[in-house]
Amino acid sequence: MLFQFITDYLKHRLTAKTRHGTHSPFVYKLADEVIYDFTNKSEYKNIEEQRKKLFNDDSIITVTDLGAGSHLNKNRTKKVSQIAKNALKSPRLAKLIYRLAKNTNPKTAIELGTCLGITSSYLSKASPDAEIITIEGCPETAEVAKKNFQDLDLNNIELHVGNFDLILPDIIAKQPTLDFVYIDGNHRKDATLNYFKWCLPKVTENSLLIFDDIYWSEGMKEAWSEIKNHPDVTVTIDLFWIGLVYFKKGQVKEHFKLKFNQ
């Protein structure tokens, strides 16, 4: 599996473009002003300091894994520091999620897969006036995330604990529209496609759906292909680590691969 992942990454690097190879005005602007904006921002500092604390946290928790699990470690009992090093999004990728959320300016942002809460914290900082709804399958992991939110004084995050398949439909039903959805959990083809289909009735031309780990497995690659080809989808941007899905009306259907080093 690891060999195939590396092969896919090398293929992506060979075929992906930068913003200068992009002829879509919408995608060029997004790449120039959001994706490749690597300037440091004051909001990053406290969250990255919290990440460092997690790297040094040797407390042990029992992990309940309701999804496809980890390529790296299948043990149920883990140190928080181990989870932080293996499961958290890299600083560069987490900061990208921040910029994408800030650019979208959502009233509500939904995240599947809270983990230790670092990406949730970036969403909260990006959209302080929005409601951030995040779902975590593991109760003990969720407790660590909750403490991180408290330490960072984040008050606009609503944390749900349990099975995505049971919780997400009710959350979607309560939303008039879906502005920003970040799907980072249960990396299985059928589950990913279900989450996508559940979102579709509530998306608008301003919505952004983000799918994490689109090259995780053959099943995830198949799910990403189906999502790209759905008739409601007009623009997708494949950054290898994540895939961005837009529903811009009047936009010619196009798929883009852009280089992004995490």
Side-chain angles (χ1 to χ4, degrees):
M1 186 177 286
L2 186 59
F3 174 78
Q4 185 58 55
F5 185 80
I6 293 170
T7 302
D8 287 336
Y9 177 72
L10 293 175
K11 286 180 181 176
H12 188 278
R13 293 293 298 176
L14 290 171
T15 55
K17 302 179 183 301
T18 65
R19 60 186 173 280
H20 299 299
T22 302
H23 301 296
S24 161
F26 166 69
V27 176
Y28 181 90
K29 189 173 190 295
L30 186 74
D32 189 52
E33 298 179 3
V34 179
I35 295 172
Y36 296 135
D37 174 13
F38 298 123
T39 57
N40 201 24
K41 304 187 192 307
S42 60
E43 292 89 344
Y44 298 165
K45 185 174 183 291
N46 289 346
I47 299 176
E48 288 308 314
E49 287 175 353
Q50 197 70 18
R51 183 197 296 269
K52 289 177 184 176
K53 291 179 185 176
L54 292 170
F55 281 172
N56 294 311
D57 185 346
D58 287 333
S59 58
I60 295 173
I61 64 172
T62 299
V63 176
T64 305
D65 188 358
L66 302 177
S70 168
H71 287 331
L72 298 174
N73 195 314
K74 296 294 184 181
N75 295 334
R76 293 189 69 242
T77 302
K78 299 180 182 179
K79 290 182 179 180
V80 170
S81 59
Q82 183 184 14
I83 298 171
K85 290 168 186 173
N86 292 340
L88 289 181
K89 293 298 161 238
S90 69
R92 181 172 271 213
L93 196 55
K95 292 170 185 177
L96 172 59
I97 299 298
Y98 165 94
R99 297 193 300 273
L100 288 166
K102 197 168 188 67
N103 181 68
T104 306
N105 191 27
K107 292 181 180 177
T108 303
I110 298 172
E111 175 190 41
L112 272 68
T114 314
C115 195
L116 301 177
I118 292 297
T119 308
S120 320
S121 300
Y122 271 108
L123 290 174
S124 175
K125 289 286 190 180
S127 308
D129 296 325
E131 179 183 23
I132 311 301
I133 302 172
T134 185
I135 310 172
E136 173 54 43
C138 172
E140 293 193 23
T141 306
E143 282 302 312
V144 179
K146 192 182 297 183
K147 184 179 184 304
N148 288 327
F149 301 154
Q150 292 169 350
D151 289 350
L152 291 166
D153 196 27
L154 304 175
N155 301 310
N156 63 331
I157 301 176
E158 180 182 304
L159 174 59
H160 296 257
V161 181
N163 192 311
F164 297 167
D165 294 354
L166 301 177
I167 296 173
L168 183 60
D170 287 341
I171 289 174
I172 291 174
K174 293 175 183 175
Q175 307 303 317
T177 59
L178 294 178
D179 306 320
F180 183 101
V181 182
Y182 176 39
I183 297 172
D184 178 22
N186 195 349
H187 295 76
R188 294 187 176 100
K189 176 183 177 180
D190 289 346
T192 300
L193 289 174
N194 280 340
Y195 305 149
F196 171 68
K197 290 170 185 174
W198 294 345
C199 289
L200 283 177
K202 296 292 183 77
V203 300
T204 71
E205 64 176 336
N206 297 315
S207 300
L208 169 59
L209 305 187
I210 303 176
F211 292 88
D212 199 89
D213 289 322
I214 54 177
Y215 288 89
W216 177 273
S217 63
E218 288 303 313
M220 284 300 293
K221 288 190 285 185
E222 290 168 6
W224 176 242
S225 179
E226 287 193 34
I227 290 167
K228 285 166 57 179
N229 291 318
H230 191 279
D232 290 353
V233 171
T234 55
V235 174
T236 66
I237 303 173
D238 174 350
L239 298 172
F240 186 79
W241 312 105
I242 59 174
L244 314 183
V245 179
Y246 290 93
F247 305 84
K248 300 290 183 185
K249 292 180 180 177
Q251 186 97 15
V252 176
K253 191 177 185 75
E254 288 185 278
H255 306 301
F256 298 87
K257 282 186 182 181
L258 297 182
K259 290 183 173 69
F260 187 84
N261 297 325
Q262 79 148 342

